[in-house]
Amino acid sequence: MPTVDTGEVKLFYDAQGEGTPIVFLHGFTLDHRMWRTQVEYFSPSYKTIAYDSRGHGKSSCTESNYARKDRVIDLRHFINKLDLEKFHLVGLSMGGATALGYAIDYPDSLLSLTLVDSAAGGFKPPQKYQDMRNLAQTLPLDEIKRRWKKSTLFYFANKSPELKAEMAEMMNIHCGNLWTDPNRGKYKDRDDVSLSKQVKLPTLICVGEKDKFFIPLAKTLHENIVNSELEIVPEVGHMLNMEAPDKFNRRLESFLKRVEADR
């Protein structure tokens, strides 16, 4: 099982293909498998790398240290261990927040940044995230996970049962310590929304038309990042790359090719 040992956690990853690296960062309670169709599409031309964040998938489940800054540090250790000098970085939701934080702190190692239905440090999460964190103080973890899956997957019940099942499988093995972290609520969250003005990298910002909560953030990040493009994809919700993989793959490919041509 391929893993990177950062000294604190072991991060499971999947790497396929050869060429310029693309690193994919998954969303909250999911894992590297959410990028399955992207790996299939891009690995013939790029080296695709998708890993499980701490507490997710097959990576270490630590008791604490689940702040955005911890994920950025994990990513930095991961990149150094794999000896990647320059790479494209793609993140969705929680993974987007990690990617943005990394781009602010370590821009020289990046060729481009792609934020998909992205969160960000300093941006208040949707109420359902806060509700689950509060309930974790009084309810068993299994019940928290059950309620989380029910509220999150409701959107996909009739729209795409196959996608619902695929996401549920990932959520089932999520360790849940992000909710029970004893330091939850005590982390100082840096305002990466404001700091995004420092990002000068070629940046693609994609968001689903139905992802109403994250559209305003996507527009703000587009305004702040001078070298950015904004794509609002019609008839798509929060899981853009899984709901509309063909549209997303073509859009990302076009962006990456232009970035490569301008190098």
Side-chain angles (χ1 to χ4, degrees):
M1 186 171 77
T3 60
V4 163
D5 189 341
T6 71
E8 183 186 358
V9 294
K10 290 183 178 180
L11 302 173
F12 173 86
Y13 71 96
D14 174 76
Q16 298 187 34
E18 298 293 337
T20 304
I22 309 175
V23 175
F24 294 96
L25 307 180
H26 63 77
F28 182 65
T29 70
L30 302 175
D31 60 46
H32 74 281
R33 291 173 292 176
M34 64 158 283
W35 298 108
R36 174 179 54 81
T37 55
Q38 283 69 53
V39 168
E40 292 173 357
Y41 187 87
F42 287 100
S43 58
S45 303
Y46 295 85
K47 182 178 182 66
T48 61
I49 304 169
Y51 75 90
D52 295 341
S53 180
R54 66 165 69 202
H56 296 74
K58 297 178 182 179
S59 291
S60 299
C61 183
T62 57
E63 181 182 9
S64 190
N65 297 336
Y66 287 103
R68 179 205 50 78
K69 65 179 180 63
D70 296 306
R71 298 194 305 271
V72 171
I73 292 170
D74 285 347
L75 174 56
R76 185 59 174 175
H77 286 312
F78 181 82
I79 295 305
N80 288 340
K81 289 282 188 176
L82 292 185
D83 198 26
L84 301 181
E85 293 184 5
K86 291 278 189 176
F87 61 99
H88 300 286
L89 184 58
V90 181
L92 179 139
S93 195
M94 179 189 80
T98 306
L100 177 59
Y102 187 93
I104 292 168
D105 291 343
Y106 306 104
D108 292 343
S109 63
L110 294 180
L111 295 169
S112 73
L113 174 67
T114 298
L115 304 174
V116 189
D117 296 285
S118 185
F123 181 73
K124 191 175 181 179
Q127 187 62 44
K128 68 178 179 179
Y129 287 84
Q130 301 174 61
D131 290 344
M132 292 298 109
R133 290 171 180 172
N134 293 333
L135 287 172
Q137 298 177 11
T138 59
L139 294 177
L141 182 57
D142 286 347
E143 178 61 15
I144 297 298
K145 292 177 72 171
R146 187 192 69 79
R147 294 190 184 196
W148 172 254
K149 285 191 294 182
K150 181 179 179 181
S151 65
T152 303
L153 299 178
F154 174 80
Y155 169 81
F156 300 99
N158 296 319
K159 182 181 177 67
S160 177
E162 296 83 5
L163 181 54
K164 177 185 176 183
E166 189 175 357
M167 292 176 64
E169 183 178 348
M170 289 182 262
M171 291 177 175
N172 285 337
I173 66 169
H174 169 250
C175 82
N177 283 8
L178 283 79
W179 287 307
T180 61
D181 182 350
N183 291 316
R184 181 183 56 84
K186 300 177 184 178
Y187 297 112
K188 293 182 179 179
D189 198 11
R190 188 178 69 180
D191 185 4
D192 283 357
V193 179
S194 296
L195 291 175
S196 65
K197 295 176 183 179
Q198 300 177 10
V199 177
K200 310 300 181 185
L201 294 160
T203 302
L204 174 62
I205 302 169
C206 296
V207 65
E209 179 188 41
K210 296 183 177 181
D211 195 3
K212 301 300 183 182
F213 187 89
F214 287 97
I215 286 177
L217 175 59
K219 291 180 177 179
T220 297
L221 293 175
H222 175 49
E223 292 172 0
N224 287 353
I225 300 175
V226 64
N227 195 15
S228 68
E229 308 170 17
L230 175 62
E231 183 83 11
I232 300 177
V233 181
E235 300 300 316
V236 173
H238 188 62
M239 300 304 300
L240 194 162
N241 74 297
M242 298 181 78
E243 294 178 62
D246 292 339
K247 288 182 180 179
F248 176 75
N249 291 345
R250 288 193 298 268
R251 184 64 176 89
L252 178 58
E253 181 181 39
S254 173
F255 170 69
L256 295 181
K257 283 184 175 179
R258 280 188 282 107
V259 172
E260 297 279 335
D262 291 340
R263 289 175 60 185

